[in-house]
mmCIF file of all heavy atoms in Angstrom:
data_model
loop_
_atom_site.group_PDB
_atom_site.id
_atom_site.type_symbol
_atom_site.label_atom_id
_atom_site.label_comp_id
_atom_site.label_asym_id
_atom_site.label_seq_id
_atom_site.Cartn_x
_atom_site.Cartn_y
_atom_site.Cartn_z
ATOM 1 N N GLY A 59 22.748 0.060 8.150
ATOM 2 C CA GLY A 59 22.582 0.698 6.848
ATOM 3 C C GLY A 59 23.852 1.290 6.267
ATOM 4 O O GLY A 59 23.877 1.695 5.109
ATOM 5 N N ARG A 60 24.921 1.354 7.037
ATOM 6 C CA ARG A 60 26.168 1.944 6.533
ATOM 7 C C ARG A 60 26.810 1.007 5.519
ATOM 8 O O ARG A 60 27.052 -0.155 5.800
ATOM 9 C CB ARG A 60 27.119 2.204 7.689
ATOM 10 C CG ARG A 60 26.582 3.275 8.623
ATOM 11 C CD ARG A 60 27.547 3.633 9.689
ATOM 12 N NE ARG A 60 28.761 4.121 9.033
ATOM 13 C CZ ARG A 60 29.922 4.240 9.635
ATOM 14 N NH1 ARG A 60 30.055 3.895 10.883
ATOM 15 N NH2 ARG A 60 30.964 4.696 8.986
ATOM 16 N N GLY A 61 27.052 1.523 4.335
ATOM 17 C CA GLY A 61 27.700 0.742 3.292
ATOM 18 C C GLY A 61 26.814 -0.315 2.673
ATOM 19 O O GLY A 61 27.298 -1.230 2.023
ATOM 20 N N THR A 62 25.508 -0.192 2.868
ATOM 21 C CA THR A 62 24.564 -1.193 2.358
ATOM 22 C C THR A 62 23.471 -0.505 1.565
ATOM 23 O O THR A 62 22.953 0.530 1.975
ATOM 24 C CB THR A 62 23.931 -1.981 3.526
ATOM 25 O OG1 THR A 62 24.968 -2.560 4.315
ATOM 26 C CG2 THR A 62 23.018 -3.078 3.023
ATOM 27 N N ALA A 63 23.135 -1.089 0.440
ATOM 28 C CA ALA A 63 22.018 -0.609 -0.379
ATOM 29 C C ALA A 63 21.024 -1.753 -0.538
ATOM 30 O O ALA A 63 21.428 -2.914 -0.668
ATOM 31 C CB ALA A 63 22.502 -0.149 -1.747
ATOM 32 N N VAL A 64 19.744 -1.414 -0.513
ATOM 33 C CA VAL A 64 18.695 -2.413 -0.688
ATOM 34 C C VAL A 64 17.723 -1.922 -1.749
ATOM 35 O O VAL A 64 17.302 -0.757 -1.730
ATOM 36 C CB VAL A 64 17.931 -2.684 0.630
ATOM 37 C CG1 VAL A 64 16.799 -3.681 0.401
ATOM 38 C CG2 VAL A 64 18.872 -3.183 1.711
ATOM 39 N N ALA A 65 17.371 -2.820 -2.648
ATOM 40 C CA ALA A 65 16.335 -2.535 -3.643
ATOM 41 C C ALA A 65 15.239 -3.579 -3.490
ATOM 42 O O ALA A 65 15.519 -4.758 -3.261
ATOM 43 C CB ALA A 65 16.901 -2.576 -5.055
ATOM 44 N N VAL A 66 14.003 -3.136 -3.607
ATOM 45 C CA VAL A 66 12.851 -4.031 -3.663
ATOM 46 C C VAL A 66 12.297 -3.888 -5.062
ATOM 47 O O VAL A 66 11.867 -2.800 -5.456
ATOM 48 C CB VAL A 66 11.788 -3.673 -2.605
ATOM 49 C CG1 VAL A 66 10.583 -4.599 -2.722
ATOM 50 C CG2 VAL A 66 12.383 -3.740 -1.201
ATOM 51 N N GLY A 67 12.361 -4.969 -5.815
ATOM 52 C CA GLY A 67 12.024 -4.878 -7.229
ATOM 53 C C GLY A 67 13.050 -3.988 -7.900
ATOM 54 O O GLY A 67 14.244 -4.202 -7.786
ATOM 55 N N GLU A 68 12.591 -2.937 -8.520
ATOM 56 C CA GLU A 68 13.486 -1.997 -9.205
ATOM 57 C C GLU A 68 13.712 -0.728 -8.404
ATOM 58 O O GLU A 68 14.353 0.200 -8.877
ATOM 59 C CB GLU A 68 12.887 -1.636 -10.577
ATOM 60 C CG GLU A 68 12.674 -2.826 -11.484
ATOM 61 C CD GLU A 68 13.979 -3.485 -11.892
ATOM 62 O OE1 GLU A 68 14.969 -2.782 -12.141
ATOM 63 O OE2 GLU A 68 13.999 -4.733 -11.956
ATOM 64 N N ASP A 69 13.172 -0.680 -7.191
ATOM 65 C CA ASP A 69 13.205 0.559 -6.410
ATOM 66 C C ASP A 69 14.201 0.474 -5.260
ATOM 67 O O ASP A 69 14.082 -0.400 -4.392
ATOM 68 C CB ASP A 69 11.823 0.866 -5.841
ATOM 69 C CG ASP A 69 10.785 1.036 -6.935
ATOM 70 O OD1 ASP A 69 11.065 1.779 -7.896
ATOM 71 O OD2 ASP A 69 9.716 0.419 -6.829
ATOM 72 N N VAL A 70 15.156 1.397 -5.228
ATOM 73 C CA VAL A 70 16.093 1.483 -4.110
ATOM 74 C C VAL A 70 15.344 2.062 -2.910
ATOM 75 O O VAL A 70 14.606 3.030 -3.037
ATOM 76 C CB VAL A 70 17.308 2.369 -4.474
ATOM 77 C CG1 VAL A 70 18.201 2.586 -3.258
ATOM 78 C CG2 VAL A 70 18.094 1.744 -5.618
ATOM 79 N N VAL A 71 15.539 1.428 -1.751
ATOM 80 C CA VAL A 71 14.893 1.881 -0.527
ATOM 81 C C VAL A 71 15.965 2.524 0.365
ATOM 82 O O VAL A 71 16.906 1.845 0.776
ATOM 83 C CB VAL A 71 14.227 0.704 0.224
ATOM 84 C CG1 VAL A 71 13.546 1.200 1.500
ATOM 85 C CG2 VAL A 71 13.232 -0.014 -0.671
ATOM 86 N N PRO A 72 15.847 3.815 0.641
ATOM 87 C CA PRO A 72 16.836 4.465 1.515
ATOM 88 C C PRO A 72 16.872 3.787 2.884
ATOM 89 O O PRO A 72 15.833 3.361 3.404
ATOM 90 C CB PRO A 72 16.327 5.904 1.642
ATOM 91 C CG PRO A 72 15.387 6.089 0.495
ATOM 92 C CD PRO A 72 14.801 4.741 0.200
ATOM 93 N N ALA A 73 18.055 3.690 3.482
ATOM 94 C CA ALA A 73 18.210 3.006 4.766
ATOM 95 C C ALA A 73 17.270 3.564 5.830
ATOM 96 O O ALA A 73 16.747 2.813 6.660
ATOM 97 C CB ALA A 73 19.657 3.094 5.237
ATOM 98 N N GLY A 74 17.003 4.834 5.794
ATOM 99 C CA GLY A 74 16.101 5.443 6.760
ATOM 100 C C GLY A 74 14.659 5.012 6.617
ATOM 101 O O GLY A 74 13.833 5.273 7.502
ATOM 102 N N ARG A 75 14.321 4.348 5.509
ATOM 103 C CA ARG A 75 12.941 3.886 5.265
ATOM 104 C C ARG A 75 12.798 2.373 5.390
ATOM 105 O O ARG A 75 11.701 1.842 5.217
ATOM 106 C CB ARG A 75 12.488 4.291 3.855
ATOM 107 C CG ARG A 75 12.488 5.780 3.546
ATOM 108 C CD ARG A 75 11.559 6.617 4.437
ATOM 109 N NE ARG A 75 10.198 6.149 4.471
ATOM 110 C CZ ARG A 75 9.207 6.651 3.759
ATOM 111 N NH1 ARG A 75 9.414 7.650 2.950
ATOM 112 N NH2 ARG A 75 7.984 6.164 3.881
ATOM 113 N N TRP A 76 13.887 1.653 5.687
ATOM 114 C CA TRP A 76 13.814 0.193 5.756
ATOM 115 C C TRP A 76 12.736 -0.285 6.715
ATOM 116 O O TRP A 76 11.975 -1.190 6.394
ATOM 117 C CB TRP A 76 15.154 -0.407 6.158
ATOM 118 C CG TRP A 76 16.240 -0.299 5.136
ATOM 119 C CD1 TRP A 76 16.164 0.232 3.887
ATOM 120 C CD2 TRP A 76 17.583 -0.731 5.302
ATOM 121 N NE1 TRP A 76 17.386 0.154 3.263
ATOM 122 C CE2 TRP A 76 18.269 -0.431 4.117
ATOM 123 C CE3 TRP A 76 18.279 -1.328 6.349
ATOM 124 C CZ2 TRP A 76 19.612 -0.738 3.936
ATOM 125 C CZ3 TRP A 76 19.618 -1.630 6.170
ATOM 126 C CH2 TRP A 76 20.276 -1.343 4.971
ATOM 127 N N ALA A 77 12.680 0.291 7.909
ATOM 128 C CA ALA A 77 11.720 -0.158 8.926
ATOM 129 C C ALA A 77 10.278 0.150 8.527
ATOM 130 O O ALA A 77 9.352 -0.533 8.969
ATOM 131 C CB ALA A 77 12.034 0.475 10.272
ATOM 132 N N ASP A 78 10.080 1.155 7.674
ATOM 133 C CA ASP A 78 8.736 1.567 7.254
ATOM 134 C C ASP A 78 8.295 0.936 5.944
ATOM 135 O O ASP A 78 7.199 1.220 5.475
ATOM 136 C CB ASP A 78 8.688 3.089 7.064
ATOM 137 C CG ASP A 78 9.042 3.849 8.323
ATOM 138 O OD1 ASP A 78 8.761 3.342 9.425
ATOM 139 O OD2 ASP A 78 9.616 4.941 8.208
ATOM 140 N N THR A 79 9.154 0.116 5.348
ATOM 141 C CA THR A 79 8.852 -0.445 4.035
ATOM 142 C C THR A 79 8.555 -1.938 4.170
ATOM 143 O O THR A 79 9.460 -2.730 4.421
ATOM 144 C CB THR A 79 10.034 -0.227 3.067
ATOM 145 O OG1 THR A 79 10.336 1.173 3.019
ATOM 146 C CG2 THR A 79 9.694 -0.719 1.668
ATOM 147 N N PRO A 80 7.276 -2.320 4.039
ATOM 148 C CA PRO A 80 6.929 -3.733 4.177
ATOM 149 C C PRO A 80 7.339 -4.533 2.950
ATOM 150 O O PRO A 80 7.488 -3.991 1.855
ATOM 151 C CB PRO A 80 5.405 -3.710 4.310
ATOM 152 C CG PRO A 80 4.988 -2.453 3.625
ATOM 153 C CD PRO A 80 6.118 -1.474 3.798
ATOM 154 N N VAL A 81 7.553 -5.821 3.164
ATOM 155 C CA VAL A 81 7.777 -6.731 2.048
ATOM 156 C C VAL A 81 6.570 -7.644 1.941
ATOM 157 O O VAL A 81 5.884 -7.907 2.932
ATOM 158 C CB VAL A 81 9.082 -7.557 2.208
ATOM 159 C CG1 VAL A 81 10.289 -6.644 2.201
ATOM 160 C CG2 VAL A 81 9.061 -8.414 3.450
ATOM 161 N N ALA A 82 6.307 -8.107 0.728
ATOM 162 C CA ALA A 82 5.168 -8.983 0.474
ATOM 163 C C ALA A 82 5.662 -10.257 -0.188
ATOM 164 O O ALA A 82 6.764 -10.294 -0.767
ATOM 165 C CB ALA A 82 4.162 -8.273 -0.435
ATOM 166 N N ALA A 83 4.858 -11.287 -0.105
ATOM 167 C CA ALA A 83 5.186 -12.563 -0.737
ATOM 168 C C ALA A 83 5.557 -12.330 -2.198
ATOM 169 O O ALA A 83 4.878 -11.594 -2.912
ATOM 170 C CB ALA A 83 4.002 -13.518 -0.641
ATOM 171 N N GLY A 84 6.676 -12.908 -2.596
ATOM 172 C CA GLY A 84 7.116 -12.805 -3.985
ATOM 173 C C GLY A 84 8.004 -11.618 -4.285
ATOM 174 O O GLY A 84 8.531 -11.513 -5.394
ATOM 175 N N ASP A 85 8.196 -10.722 -3.320
ATOM 176 C CA ASP A 85 9.072 -9.569 -3.573
ATOM 177 C C ASP A 85 10.500 -10.043 -3.836
ATOM 178 O O ASP A 85 10.960 -11.039 -3.279
ATOM 179 C CB ASP A 85 9.082 -8.612 -2.382
ATOM 180 C CG ASP A 85 7.934 -7.626 -2.393
ATOM 181 O OD1 ASP A 85 7.218 -7.542 -3.407
ATOM 182 O OD2 ASP A 85 7.759 -6.936 -1.370
ATOM 183 N N ARG A 86 11.189 -9.299 -4.704
ATOM 184 C CA ARG A 86 12.611 -9.547 -5.007
ATOM 185 C C ARG A 86 13.416 -8.436 -4.377
ATOM 186 O O ARG A 86 13.226 -7.264 -4.705
ATOM 187 C CB ARG A 86 12.853 -9.549 -6.522
ATOM 188 C CG ARG A 86 12.209 -10.694 -7.262
ATOM 189 C CD ARG A 86 12.428 -10.579 -8.767
ATOM 190 N NE ARG A 86 11.834 -9.349 -9.298
ATOM 191 C CZ ARG A 86 12.509 -8.312 -9.773
ATOM 192 N NH1 ARG A 86 13.797 -8.322 -9.849
ATOM 193 N NH2 ARG A 86 11.876 -7.243 -10.208
ATOM 194 N N LEU A 87 14.306 -8.802 -3.457
ATOM 195 C CA LEU A 87 15.166 -7.836 -2.818
ATOM 196 C C LEU A 87 16.612 -8.101 -3.217
ATOM 197 O O LEU A 87 17.020 -9.244 -3.360
ATOM 198 C CB LEU A 87 15.072 -7.927 -1.290
ATOM 199 C CG LEU A 87 13.765 -7.449 -0.659
ATOM 200 C CD1 LEU A 87 12.726 -8.540 -0.661
ATOM 201 C CD2 LEU A 87 14.031 -6.974 0.743
ATOM 202 N N GLU A 88 17.347 -7.029 -3.413
ATOM 203 C CA GLU A 88 18.785 -7.114 -3.630
ATOM 204 C C GLU A 88 19.450 -6.364 -2.484
ATOM 205 O O GLU A 88 19.106 -5.202 -2.237
ATOM 206 C CB GLU A 88 19.183 -6.495 -4.972
ATOM 207 C CG GLU A 88 18.698 -7.253 -6.181
ATOM 208 C CD GLU A 88 19.313 -8.637 -6.324
ATOM 209 O OE1 GLU A 88 20.501 -8.813 -5.967
ATOM 210 O OE2 GLU A 88 18.619 -9.544 -6.799
#
Side-chain angles (χ1 to χ4, degrees):
R60 294 185 59 196
T62 304
V64 177
V66 178
E68 301 295 321
D69 300 312
V70 173
V71 180
R75 300 299 306 261
W76 291 358
D78 301 329
T79 304
V81 296
D85 276 350
R86 293 177 299 111
L87 290 85
E88 292 295 325

